[in-house]
Amino acid sequence: MSIRFPLYLIIVTLFAGCIGGDKERDKMSEAFPVENKLHGEQVLKLDNFIPDYIDVYNDSLLCFVSTIGEKGHHIALYHLAERTFLPPILRVGGKDGQTLGFNTFGFERGYFWDYDPGKEKVIFTRLDSIHEAGASHFIREMPVPGFYYSLQLLNDSTLLTSGNYFHSQDDYKLATLDLTSGRSYNHMAPYSADSSKPYTLPQKMSYESFLFLKPSKNKCVLAYRFTDRIELIDLDTRKIKVIRGQDMFEPNLKVMVKGNGKKIAYPGDESREAYVRGQVTDKYIYLLYSGNLPNGKNLFYGKYIHIYDWDGKPVKRLELDNYTKDFAVTGNDSLLYTYDPKTKNISVAKLTN
């Protein structure tokens, strides 16, 4: 897609350098020792719901998530054993217990949580009465000051956050946020190894990433959007490991200088997408890989899933039957569900060790 800007904008190309910080030296990823083609079988066809994300809850419910809301709700639930849809949950709106839209969500001990940047809140939704149509699922809302590109829930009142790059003083990729007090602390993974040369906003945006938290909550991984790297952080020891992908491409974003003089980064015609979706279990990290350019097809979709262990060692590369928009993995690493946006089919395939 071609993008045009007014003449007062100055456009330059941004080639961001290698990330620094208290970490091991960047490592070139080993080749995946196993490469398999994964063939799925159709589970159902989504004729009346277009999901942005899919997930699986307790290995028994498929969760289809629409960030803008379909027919007044954000979430459709499909019971795998009963082969039927349950009443939808999480209404669209700005009232208590409703959500305008979100970019991060998850499940935690019987409830669903989502981060709504528009409301600047985390909303908690009960799952113990999902079979009951019209039941109230709302638990509570908690304010989240500022904006974060991605975050994860550490406990009922604490978040692990990433992408607070619009705050000029935030020079770290990770921080802990106390929802009760609004205090940000325990900053980790600095953008720059040299504190006297902090990264600019466009440089920080060039390393935009998706944050995934290991279920045991002692490790996390950042999967980058514009470079084929992952960054693993041990939350206990603060050790950091950066793994470079096989394609070895750097962020290649443009910098736009707006009328107020503020600079921001945005993808240009030569900006490749790297990782577009992900799932984690206690054993493995599963990342959907695009590698595509903006002017090609399937930019935000992927046909390959890269699997790493939590030490960053490549385990397997899976080739899917078709491009998928998102996928879900059962907690025991046995089944993988995919959504084909072209056919609207949900398929399942067995994962073998």
Side-chain angles (χ1 to χ4, degrees):
M1 179 176 63
S2 176
I3 303 175
R4 297 181 180 180
F5 297 93
L7 293 178
Y8 63 76
L9 299 178
I10 304 171
I11 306 297
V12 298
T13 302
L14 173 68
F15 294 95
C18 184
I19 317 169
D22 181 19
K23 60 180 177 61
E24 296 182 12
R25 188 174 180 178
D26 291 2
K27 294 184 178 180
M28 173 64 185
S29 174
E30 303 170 21
F32 287 97
V34 179
E35 298 195 15
N36 288 344
K37 288 189 176 182
L38 202 64
H39 301 292
E41 297 182 0
Q42 183 178 341
V43 176
L44 73 155
K45 187 172 184 177
L46 292 177
D47 289 319
N48 301 315
F49 196 91
I50 302 174
D52 297 295
Y53 302 92
I54 69 171
D55 210 333
V56 59
Y57 173 65
N58 277 355
D59 294 353
S60 61
L61 290 177
L62 281 178
C63 177
F64 306 115
V65 180
S66 168
T67 56
I68 62 171
E70 292 273 345
K71 299 182 179 180
H73 289 83
H74 288 284
I75 300 175
L77 296 167
Y78 181 80
H79 198 291
L80 288 165
E82 298 175 3
R83 298 185 180 182
T84 185
F85 278 95
L86 303 179
I89 62 173
L90 196 57
R91 284 191 173 276
V92 178
K95 297 180 180 179
D96 286 351
Q98 299 177 349
T99 299
L100 296 170
F102 50 92
N103 64 359
T104 313
F105 68 90
F107 299 97
E108 185 79 12
R109 297 195 311 276
Y111 60 82
F112 176 89
W113 65 267
D114 66 279
Y115 165 51
D116 185 337
K119 294 177 71 174
E120 294 188 353
K121 291 182 177 180
V122 171
I123 294 95
F124 297 85
T125 303
R126 184 177 292 107
L127 294 174
D128 59 3
S129 57
I130 52 179
H131 284 81
E132 303 172 23
S136 175
H137 305 288
F138 175 54
I139 302 176
R140 67 184 181 280
E141 296 182 350
M142 300 189 76
V144 180
F147 170 82
Y148 298 91
Y149 186 77
S150 188
L151 52 79
Q152 293 292 328
L153 195 71
L154 288 170
N155 56 50
D156 291 353
S157 61
T158 311
L159 298 174
L160 184 66
T161 65
S162 179
N164 186 26
Y165 37 65
F166 288 106
H167 193 294
S168 61
Q169 302 303 314
D170 193 345
D171 292 323
Y172 295 84
K173 294 189 284 294
L174 284 179
T176 302
L177 178 68
D178 187 322
L179 292 173
T180 305
S181 65
R183 184 174 70 92
S184 180
Y185 62 99
N186 197 26
H187 297 83
M188 289 180 284
Y191 283 99
S192 174
D194 187 348
S195 59
S196 67
K197 297 179 181 179
Y199 271 31
T200 64
L201 174 58
Q203 285 176 304
K204 294 176 184 178
M205 294 178 72
S206 69
Y207 284 101
E208 198 166 71
S209 56
F210 301 102
L211 172 64
F212 301 100
L213 181 65
K214 189 177 181 180
S216 59
K217 300 188 178 182
N218 63 327
K219 291 184 178 182
C220 69
V221 61
L222 293 167
Y224 288 96
R225 283 192 58 193
F226 305 114
T227 173
D228 61 332
R229 301 179 187 182
I230 64 171
E231 186 166 359
L232 296 107
I233 301 97
D234 187 309
L235 300 177
D236 294 329
T237 65
R238 303 172 70 93
K239 294 290 185 180
I240 298 171
K241 184 183 295 184
V242 178
I243 306 297
R244 297 173 61 92
Q246 295 293 307
D247 289 347
M248 295 187 65
F249 64 90
E250 299 292 323
N252 187 7
L253 274 64
K254 301 285 187 180
V255 174
M256 179 176 72
V257 184
K258 301 197 295 185
N260 61 4
K262 187 175 182 179
K263 297 179 181 180
I264 62 171
Y266 73 95
D269 290 340
E270 299 301 319
S271 302
R272 294 178 66 180
E273 287 283 337
Y275 297 108
V276 291
R277 289 289 192 271
Q279 293 274 328
V280 295
T281 66
D282 271 317
K283 290 182 65 175
Y284 299 123
I285 300 163
Y286 300 81
L287 300 173
L288 183 63
Y289 184 70
S290 168
N292 296 320
L293 290 168
N295 56 1
K297 294 182 179 180
N298 305 307
L299 175 62
F300 299 115
Y301 305 152
K303 200 175 180 180
Y304 295 93
I305 293 177
H306 295 177
I307 304 176
Y308 294 88
D309 67 18
W310 280 100
D311 290 322
K313 186 176 180 61
V315 175
K316 189 181 298 185
R317 188 179 83 147
L318 302 177
E319 181 180 352
L320 306 176
D321 289 329
N322 303 292
Y323 275 94
T324 188
K325 188 174 185 179
D326 198 10
F327 69 99
V329 180
T330 53
N332 60 4
D333 302 280
S334 64
L335 298 175
L336 184 143
Y337 296 89
T338 58
Y339 169 62
D340 184 339
K342 185 176 181 179
T343 64
K344 299 183 180 178
N345 287 336
I346 299 294
S347 299
V348 64
K350 291 183 179 180
L351 294 171
T352 56
N353 296 327

Short mmCIF file of all heavy atoms in Angstrom, two decimals, residues 1-56:
data_model
loop_
_atom_site.label_atom_id
_atom_site.label_comp_id
_atom_site.label_asym_id
_atom_site.label_seq_id
_atom_site.Cartn_x
_atom_site.Cartn_y
_atom_site.Cartn_z
N MET A 1 0.84 -1.18 0.00
CA MET A 1 0.00 0.00 0.00
C MET A 1 0.88 1.23 0.00
O MET A 1 1.80 1.37 0.79
CB MET A 1 -0.90 0.01 1.24
CG MET A 1 -1.80 1.22 1.33
SD MET A 1 -2.91 1.14 2.76
CE MET A 1 -1.75 1.15 4.10
N SER A 2 0.63 2.15 -0.86
CA SER A 2 1.40 3.38 -0.95
C SER A 2 0.85 4.40 0.04
O SER A 2 -0.37 4.59 0.15
CB SER A 2 1.32 3.95 -2.36
OG SER A 2 1.98 5.18 -2.45
N ILE A 3 1.74 5.07 0.79
CA ILE A 3 1.34 6.06 1.77
C ILE A 3 1.93 7.40 1.37
O ILE A 3 3.12 7.52 1.10
CB ILE A 3 1.84 5.68 3.18
CG1 ILE A 3 1.32 4.29 3.54
CG2 ILE A 3 1.40 6.69 4.22
CD1 ILE A 3 1.85 3.79 4.85
N ARG A 4 1.09 8.42 1.35
CA ARG A 4 1.55 9.77 1.01
C ARG A 4 1.41 10.67 2.22
O ARG A 4 0.48 10.56 3.00
CB ARG A 4 0.74 10.34 -0.16
CG ARG A 4 0.91 9.53 -1.45
CD ARG A 4 0.12 10.15 -2.58
NE ARG A 4 0.29 9.37 -3.82
CZ ARG A 4 -0.30 9.70 -4.96
NH1 ARG A 4 -1.09 10.74 -5.04
NH2 ARG A 4 -0.09 8.96 -6.03
N PHE A 5 2.35 11.62 2.34
CA PHE A 5 2.34 12.53 3.46
C PHE A 5 2.42 13.96 2.93
O PHE A 5 2.90 14.21 1.84
CB PHE A 5 3.55 12.28 4.38
CG PHE A 5 3.55 10.92 4.99
CD1 PHE A 5 4.23 9.86 4.39
CD2 PHE A 5 2.86 10.68 6.16
CE1 PHE A 5 4.23 8.61 4.97
CE2 PHE A 5 2.86 9.43 6.73
CZ PHE A 5 3.54 8.41 6.14
N PRO A 6 1.96 14.95 3.74
CA PRO A 6 2.10 16.34 3.35
C PRO A 6 3.55 16.73 3.15
O PRO A 6 4.47 16.09 3.69
CB PRO A 6 1.48 17.10 4.54
CG PRO A 6 0.55 16.10 5.18
CD PRO A 6 1.21 14.77 4.98
N LEU A 7 3.77 17.81 2.43
CA LEU A 7 5.13 18.21 2.05
C LEU A 7 5.97 18.62 3.25
O LEU A 7 7.20 18.57 3.17
CB LEU A 7 5.07 19.36 1.04
CG LEU A 7 4.48 18.99 -0.32
CD1 LEU A 7 4.43 20.23 -1.21
CD2 LEU A 7 5.31 17.91 -1.00
N TYR A 8 5.32 19.02 4.38
CA TYR A 8 6.13 19.49 5.50
C TYR A 8 6.78 18.35 6.27
O TYR A 8 7.56 18.57 7.18
CB TYR A 8 5.31 20.34 6.47
CG TYR A 8 4.16 19.64 7.14
CD1 TYR A 8 4.38 18.74 8.20
CD2 TYR A 8 2.85 19.86 6.74
CE1 TYR A 8 3.33 18.10 8.80
CE2 TYR A 8 1.80 19.23 7.35
CZ TYR A 8 2.04 18.35 8.39
OH TYR A 8 1.01 17.73 9.01
N LEU A 9 6.49 17.12 5.90
CA LEU A 9 7.10 15.99 6.57
C LEU A 9 8.44 15.66 5.94
O LEU A 9 8.58 15.65 4.73
CB LEU A 9 6.19 14.76 6.51
CG LEU A 9 4.82 14.92 7.17
CD1 LEU A 9 4.03 13.64 7.00
CD2 LEU A 9 4.99 15.24 8.63
N ILE A 10 9.40 15.35 6.78
CA ILE A 10 10.71 14.94 6.29
C ILE A 10 10.82 13.44 6.47
O ILE A 10 10.61 12.92 7.56
CB ILE A 10 11.84 15.63 7.07
CG1 ILE A 10 11.66 17.16 7.00
CG2 ILE A 10 13.21 15.22 6.54
CD1 ILE A 10 12.60 17.90 7.93
N ILE A 11 11.15 12.70 5.42
CA ILE A 11 11.21 11.25 5.48
C ILE A 11 12.65 10.80 5.32
O ILE A 11 13.33 11.15 4.37
CB ILE A 11 10.35 10.62 4.38
CG1 ILE A 11 8.92 11.17 4.45
CG2 ILE A 11 10.35 9.12 4.50
CD1 ILE A 11 8.20 10.84 5.73
N VAL A 12 13.11 10.00 6.27
CA VAL A 12 14.44 9.39 6.16
C VAL A 12 14.29 7.92 6.47
O VAL A 12 13.29 7.47 7.01
CB VAL A 12 15.45 10.05 7.13
CG1 VAL A 12 15.64 11.51 6.80
CG2 VAL A 12 15.01 9.88 8.57
N THR A 13 15.32 7.15 6.13
CA THR A 13 15.29 5.72 6.42
C THR A 13 16.03 5.44 7.70
O THR A 13 17.08 6.01 7.97
CB THR A 13 15.96 4.94 5.28
OG1 THR A 13 15.26 5.23 4.06
CG2 THR A 13 15.88 3.44 5.53
N LEU A 14 15.45 4.57 8.52
CA LEU A 14 16.05 4.21 9.79
C LEU A 14 16.62 2.81 9.72
O LEU A 14 15.91 1.86 9.45
CB LEU A 14 14.98 4.27 10.90
CG LEU A 14 15.39 3.76 12.27
CD1 LEU A 14 16.42 4.70 12.89
CD2 LEU A 14 14.18 3.63 13.18
N PHE A 15 17.90 2.71 9.96
CA PHE A 15 18.54 1.41 10.11
C PHE A 15 19.01 1.33 11.56
O PHE A 15 20.07 1.82 11.89
CB PHE A 15 19.73 1.26 9.16
CG PHE A 15 19.34 1.25 7.71
CD1 PHE A 15 19.38 2.42 6.96
CD2 PHE A 15 18.94 0.08 7.10
CE1 PHE A 15 19.04 2.40 5.63
CE2 PHE A 15 18.58 0.07 5.76
CZ PHE A 15 18.63 1.23 5.03
N ALA A 16 18.21 0.74 12.40
CA ALA A 16 18.54 0.69 13.82
C ALA A 16 19.68 -0.30 14.05
O ALA A 16 19.74 -1.35 13.43
CB ALA A 16 17.32 0.28 14.64
N GLY A 17 20.54 0.05 14.98
CA GLY A 17 21.68 -0.80 15.27
C GLY A 17 21.33 -1.93 16.20
O GLY A 17 20.20 -2.08 16.64
N CYS A 18 22.32 -2.71 16.52
CA CYS A 18 22.11 -3.87 17.39
C CYS A 18 21.78 -3.43 18.81
O CYS A 18 22.34 -2.47 19.31
CB CYS A 18 23.38 -4.72 17.38
SG CYS A 18 23.24 -6.23 18.32
N ILE A 19 20.87 -4.12 19.46
CA ILE A 19 20.46 -3.77 20.80
C ILE A 19 21.60 -4.08 21.77
O ILE A 19 22.26 -5.10 21.67
CB ILE A 19 19.23 -4.58 21.22
CG1 ILE A 19 18.22 -4.62 20.09
CG2 ILE A 19 18.59 -4.01 22.46
CD1 ILE A 19 17.13 -5.61 20.32
N GLY A 20 21.79 -3.18 22.74
CA GLY A 20 22.82 -3.42 23.74
C GLY A 20 22.20 -3.72 25.08
O GLY A 20 21.00 -3.82 25.22
N GLY A 21 23.02 -3.85 26.10
CA GLY A 21 22.49 -4.05 27.44
C GLY A 21 23.23 -5.15 28.18
O GLY A 21 24.25 -5.67 27.72
N ASP A 22 22.72 -5.47 29.35
CA ASP A 22 23.32 -6.51 30.19
C ASP A 22 22.86 -7.87 29.67
O ASP A 22 21.92 -8.46 30.18
CB ASP A 22 22.88 -6.30 31.64
CG ASP A 22 23.48 -7.34 32.57
OD1 ASP A 22 24.49 -7.96 32.18
OD2 ASP A 22 22.94 -7.53 33.67
N LYS A 23 23.53 -8.34 28.65
CA LYS A 23 23.08 -9.57 28.01
C LYS A 23 24.27 -10.33 27.46
O LYS A 23 25.38 -9.81 27.35
CB LYS A 23 22.12 -9.27 26.85
CG LYS A 23 22.72 -8.40 25.74
CD LYS A 23 21.72 -8.16 24.65
CE LYS A 23 22.28 -7.24 23.56
NZ LYS A 23 23.45 -7.80 22.90
N GLU A 24 24.03 -11.56 27.10
CA GLU A 24 25.05 -12.33 26.40
C GLU A 24 25.21 -11.77 24.99
O GLU A 24 24.33 -11.10 24.46
CB GLU A 24 24.62 -13.80 26.31
CG GLU A 24 24.51 -14.49 27.66
CD GLU A 24 24.14 -15.95 27.50
OE1 GLU A 24 24.20 -16.45 26.37
OE2 GLU A 24 23.78 -16.58 28.50
N ARG A 25 26.30 -12.07 24.39
CA ARG A 25 26.54 -11.65 23.02
C ARG A 25 25.48 -12.25 22.11
O ARG A 25 25.08 -13.40 22.26
CB ARG A 25 27.93 -12.11 22.59
CG ARG A 25 28.37 -11.55 21.25
CD ARG A 25 29.81 -11.95 20.99
NE ARG A 25 30.27 -11.43 19.71
CZ ARG A 25 31.51 -11.59 19.26
NH1 ARG A 25 32.38 -12.26 20.00
NH2 ARG A 25 31.87 -11.10 18.10
N ASP A 26 25.02 -11.43 21.13
CA ASP A 26 24.02 -11.93 20.20
C ASP A 26 24.51 -13.21 19.53
O ASP A 26 25.66 -13.31 19.12
CB ASP A 26 23.74 -10.89 19.11
CG ASP A 26 23.02 -9.67 19.67
OD1 ASP A 26 22.80 -9.64 20.88
OD2 ASP A 26 22.71 -8.77 18.88
N LYS A 27 23.62 -14.16 19.43
CA LYS A 27 23.99 -15.45 18.86
C LYS A 27 23.23 -15.72 17.58
O LYS A 27 22.04 -15.47 17.50
CB LYS A 27 23.70 -16.57 19.87
CG LYS A 27 24.57 -16.52 21.13
CD LYS A 27 24.30 -17.71 22.02
CE LYS A 27 25.21 -17.68 23.25
NZ LYS A 27 24.97 -18.83 24.13
N MET A 28 23.94 -16.20 16.60
CA MET A 28 23.29 -16.64 15.38
C MET A 28 22.54 -17.93 15.67
O MET A 28 23.09 -18.86 16.27
CB MET A 28 24.34 -16.89 14.29
CG MET A 28 23.80 -17.52 13.02
SD MET A 28 22.63 -16.46 12.18
CE MET A 28 22.10 -17.56 10.86
N SER A 29 21.27 -17.96 15.30
CA SER A 29 20.48 -19.16 15.56
C SER A 29 21.03 -20.35 14.77
O SER A 29 21.42 -20.22 13.61
CB SER A 29 19.02 -18.92 15.16
OG SER A 29 18.28 -20.10 15.29
N GLU A 30 21.10 -21.48 15.44
CA GLU A 30 21.44 -22.70 14.73
C GLU A 30 20.29 -23.05 13.78
O GLU A 30 19.16 -22.61 13.96
CB GLU A 30 21.63 -23.84 15.74
CG GLU A 30 22.68 -23.58 16.79
CD GLU A 30 22.65 -24.62 17.89
OE1 GLU A 30 22.12 -25.72 17.64
OE2 GLU A 30 23.14 -24.33 18.98
N ALA A 31 20.58 -23.83 12.78
CA ALA A 31 19.51 -24.29 11.89
C ALA A 31 18.55 -25.16 12.67
O ALA A 31 18.94 -25.87 13.60
CB ALA A 31 20.11 -25.06 10.71
N PHE A 32 17.29 -25.09 12.31
CA PHE A 32 16.31 -25.95 12.98
C PHE A 32 16.65 -27.41 12.67
O PHE A 32 16.75 -27.79 11.50
CB PHE A 32 14.90 -25.62 12.51
CG PHE A 32 14.39 -24.31 13.05
CD1 PHE A 32 14.48 -23.16 12.30
CD2 PHE A 32 13.84 -24.24 14.32
CE1 PHE A 32 14.03 -21.95 12.79
CE2 PHE A 32 13.38 -23.04 14.83
CZ PHE A 32 13.48 -21.89 14.06
N PRO A 33 16.83 -28.22 13.70
CA PRO A 33 17.23 -29.61 13.47
C PRO A 33 16.15 -30.45 12.82
O PRO A 33 16.43 -31.48 12.20
CB PRO A 33 17.54 -30.13 14.88
CG PRO A 33 16.75 -29.27 15.79
CD PRO A 33 16.72 -27.91 15.13
N VAL A 34 14.89 -30.00 12.95
CA VAL A 34 13.76 -30.73 12.36
C VAL A 34 12.90 -29.74 11.61
O VAL A 34 12.60 -28.65 12.11
CB VAL A 34 12.92 -31.44 13.45
CG1 VAL A 34 11.73 -32.17 12.82
CG2 VAL A 34 13.78 -32.42 14.25
N GLU A 35 12.51 -30.10 10.40
CA GLU A 35 11.58 -29.29 9.62
C GLU A 35 10.48 -30.22 9.11
O GLU A 35 10.75 -31.13 8.33
CB GLU A 35 12.29 -28.59 8.46
CG GLU A 35 13.36 -27.61 8.92
CD GLU A 35 13.81 -26.66 7.81
OE1 GLU A 35 13.10 -26.58 6.79
OE2 GLU A 35 14.87 -26.03 7.98
N ASN A 36 9.27 -29.97 9.57
CA ASN A 36 8.14 -30.84 9.23
C ASN A 36 7.03 -30.05 8.56
O ASN A 36 6.82 -28.87 8.86
CB ASN A 36 7.55 -31.50 10.50
CG ASN A 36 8.45 -32.56 11.07
OD1 ASN A 36 9.37 -33.04 10.40
ND2 ASN A 36 8.19 -32.95 12.30
N LYS A 37 6.32 -30.73 7.67
CA LYS A 37 5.08 -30.18 7.14
C LYS A 37 3.95 -30.67 8.02
O LYS A 37 3.86 -31.86 8.32
CB LYS A 37 4.87 -30.61 5.69
CG LYS A 37 5.80 -29.93 4.70
CD LYS A 37 5.40 -30.22 3.26
CE LYS A 37 6.29 -29.45 2.29
NZ LYS A 37 5.89 -29.68 0.87
N LEU A 38 3.11 -29.74 8.43
CA LEU A 38 2.03 -30.07 9.35
C LEU A 38 0.69 -30.06 8.61
O LEU A 38 0.33 -29.04 8.00
CB LEU A 38 2.00 -29.05 10.49
CG LEU A 38 1.34 -29.47 11.79
CD1 LEU A 38 2.11 -30.61 12.43
CD2 LEU A 38 1.28 -28.28 12.74
N HIS A 39 0.00 -31.17 8.62
CA HIS A 39 -1.28 -31.28 7.92
C HIS A 39 -2.41 -31.33 8.93
O HIS A 39 -2.45 -32.20 9.79
CB HIS A 39 -1.29 -32.53 7.03
CG HIS A 39 -0.21 -32.56 6.01
ND1 HIS A 39 -0.16 -31.69 4.95
CD2 HIS A 39 0.90 -33.35 5.90
CE1 HIS A 39 0.92 -31.94 4.21
NE2 HIS A 39 1.58 -32.95 4.77
N GLY A 40 -3.32 -30.38 8.81
CA GLY A 40 -4.42 -30.29 9.76
C GLY A 40 -5.72 -30.85 9.23
O GLY A 40 -5.92 -30.98 8.01
N GLU A 41 -6.61 -31.16 10.15
CA GLU A 41 -7.95 -31.59 9.82
C GLU A 41 -8.95 -30.53 10.29
O GLU A 41 -8.80 -29.97 11.37
CB GLU A 41 -8.27 -32.93 10.50
CG GLU A 41 -7.39 -34.08 10.04
CD GLU A 41 -7.77 -35.39 10.71
OE1 GLU A 41 -8.72 -35.37 11.53
OE2 GLU A 41 -7.12 -36.41 10.43
N GLN A 42 -9.97 -30.29 9.48
CA GLN A 42 -10.92 -29.24 9.79
C GLN A 42 -11.73 -29.57 11.04
O GLN A 42 -12.23 -30.69 11.21
CB GLN A 42 -11.88 -29.01 8.61
CG GLN A 42 -12.86 -27.87 8.85
CD GLN A 42 -13.76 -27.61 7.66
OE1 GLN A 42 -13.45 -28.02 6.54
NE2 GLN A 42 -14.87 -26.92 7.87
N VAL A 43 -11.84 -28.59 11.93
CA VAL A 43 -12.65 -28.71 13.14
C VAL A 43 -14.00 -28.05 12.94
O VAL A 43 -15.04 -28.60 13.26
CB VAL A 43 -11.93 -28.08 14.35
CG1 VAL A 43 -12.81 -28.12 15.59
CG2 VAL A 43 -10.61 -28.78 14.60
N LEU A 44 -13.99 -26.84 12.40
CA LEU A 44 -15.22 -26.12 12.11
C LEU A 44 -14.91 -24.97 11.17
O LEU A 44 -13.74 -24.66 10.91
CB LEU A 44 -15.87 -25.58 13.38
CG LEU A 44 -15.20 -24.37 14.06
CD1 LEU A 44 -16.23 -23.60 14.87
CD2 LEU A 44 -14.07 -24.83 14.99
N LYS A 45 -15.96 -24.35 10.66
CA LYS A 45 -15.83 -23.19 9.79
C LYS A 45 -16.51 -22.01 10.45
O LYS A 45 -17.65 -22.12 10.92
CB LYS A 45 -16.47 -23.46 8.42
CG LYS A 45 -16.24 -22.36 7.40
CD LYS A 45 -16.72 -22.78 6.02
CE LYS A 45 -16.40 -21.72 4.98
NZ LYS A 45 -16.81 -22.14 3.63
N LEU A 46 -15.80 -20.88 10.52
CA LEU A 46 -16.33 -19.70 11.17
C LEU A 46 -17.02 -18.81 10.14
O LEU A 46 -16.40 -17.95 9.52
CB LEU A 46 -15.20 -18.92 11.86
CG LEU A 46 -14.53 -19.58 13.05
CD1 LEU A 46 -13.40 -18.72 13.57
CD2 LEU A 46 -15.54 -19.84 14.15
N ASP A 47 -18.31 -19.02 9.99
CA ASP A 47 -19.06 -18.24 9.01
C ASP A 47 -19.50 -16.89 9.56
O ASP A 47 -19.66 -15.93 8.80
CB ASP A 47 -20.29 -19.02 8.54
CG ASP A 47 -19.92 -20.21 7.67
OD1 ASP A 47 -19.02 -20.04 6.82
OD2 ASP A 47 -20.51 -21.28 7.83
N ASN A 48 -19.73 -16.80 10.87
CA ASN A 48 -20.34 -15.60 11.44
C ASN A 48 -19.44 -14.84 12.41
O ASN A 48 -19.91 -13.98 13.14
CB ASN A 48 -21.64 -15.99 12.17
CG ASN A 48 -22.64 -16.65 11.24
OD1 ASN A 48 -22.87 -16.18 10.13
ND2 ASN A 48 -23.24 -17.75 11.70
N PHE A 49 -18.15 -15.17 12.43
CA PHE A 49 -17.24 -14.50 13.34
C PHE A 49 -15.87 -14.44 12.69
O PHE A 49 -15.35 -15.46 12.24
CB PHE A 49 -17.16 -15.26 14.67
CG PHE A 49 -16.57 -14.47 15.80
CD1 PHE A 49 -17.37 -13.71 16.64
CD2 PHE A 49 -15.20 -14.48 16.04
CE1 PHE A 49 -16.83 -12.98 17.69
CE2 PHE A 49 -14.64 -13.76 17.08
CZ PHE A 49 -15.46 -13.01 17.91
N ILE A 50 -15.30 -13.25 12.61
CA ILE A 50 -13.97 -13.08 12.02
C ILE A 50 -12.99 -12.75 13.14
O ILE A 50 -12.96 -11.63 13.65
CB ILE A 50 -13.97 -11.96 10.97
CG1 ILE A 50 -14.98 -12.25 9.87
CG2 ILE A 50 -12.57 -11.79 10.36
CD1 ILE A 50 -15.14 -11.14 8.86
N PRO A 51 -12.19 -13.72 13.57
CA PRO A 51 -11.30 -13.48 14.71
C PRO A 51 -9.99 -12.81 14.30
O PRO A 51 -9.47 -13.01 13.21
CB PRO A 51 -11.04 -14.89 15.23
CG PRO A 51 -11.09 -15.74 14.01
CD PRO A 51 -12.13 -15.11 13.11
N ASP A 52 -9.48 -12.00 15.22
CA ASP A 52 -8.11 -11.48 15.09
C ASP A 52 -7.12 -12.41 15.76
O ASP A 52 -5.96 -12.49 15.36
CB ASP A 52 -8.03 -10.08 15.72
CG ASP A 52 -8.90 -9.07 15.02
OD1 ASP A 52 -8.64 -8.78 13.85
OD2 ASP A 52 -9.87 -8.58 15.64
N TYR A 53 -7.60 -13.10 16.80
CA TYR A 53 -6.76 -14.04 17.54
C TYR A 53 -7.57 -15.30 17.83
O TYR A 53 -8.79 -15.26 17.91
CB TYR A 53 -6.31 -13.45 18.88
CG TYR A 53 -5.54 -12.17 18.79
CD1 TYR A 53 -6.20 -10.94 18.86
CD2 TYR A 53 -4.16 -12.17 18.67
CE1 TYR A 53 -5.49 -9.74 18.79
CE2 TYR A 53 -3.44 -10.99 18.60
CZ TYR A 53 -4.11 -9.78 18.66
OH TYR A 53 -3.42 -8.60 18.59
N ILE A 54 -6.85 -16.41 18.00
CA ILE A 54 -7.48 -17.61 18.55
C ILE A 54 -6.62 -18.11 19.70
O ILE A 54 -5.41 -17.84 19.75
CB ILE A 54 -7.69 -18.72 17.49
CG1 ILE A 54 -6.35 -19.32 17.05
CG2 ILE A 54 -8.46 -18.21 16.29
CD1 ILE A 54 -6.51 -20.57 16.18
N ASP A 55 -7.24 -18.79 20.63
CA ASP A 55 -6.52 -19.36 21.77
C ASP A 55 -7.28 -20.58 22.25
O ASP A 55 -8.40 -20.83 21.80
CB ASP A 55 -6.38 -18.32 22.88
CG ASP A 55 -5.12 -18.53 23.71
OD1 ASP A 55 -4.65 -19.68 23.78
OD2 ASP A 55 -4.61 -17.56 24.29
N VAL A 56 -6.70 -21.31 23.14
CA VAL A 56 -7.37 -22.48 23.71
C VAL A 56 -7.27 -22.39 25.23
O VAL A 56 -6.20 -22.09 25.78
CB VAL A 56 -6.76 -23.80 23.18
CG1 VAL A 56 -5.29 -23.91 23.50
CG2 VAL A 56 -7.53 -25.01 23.69
#
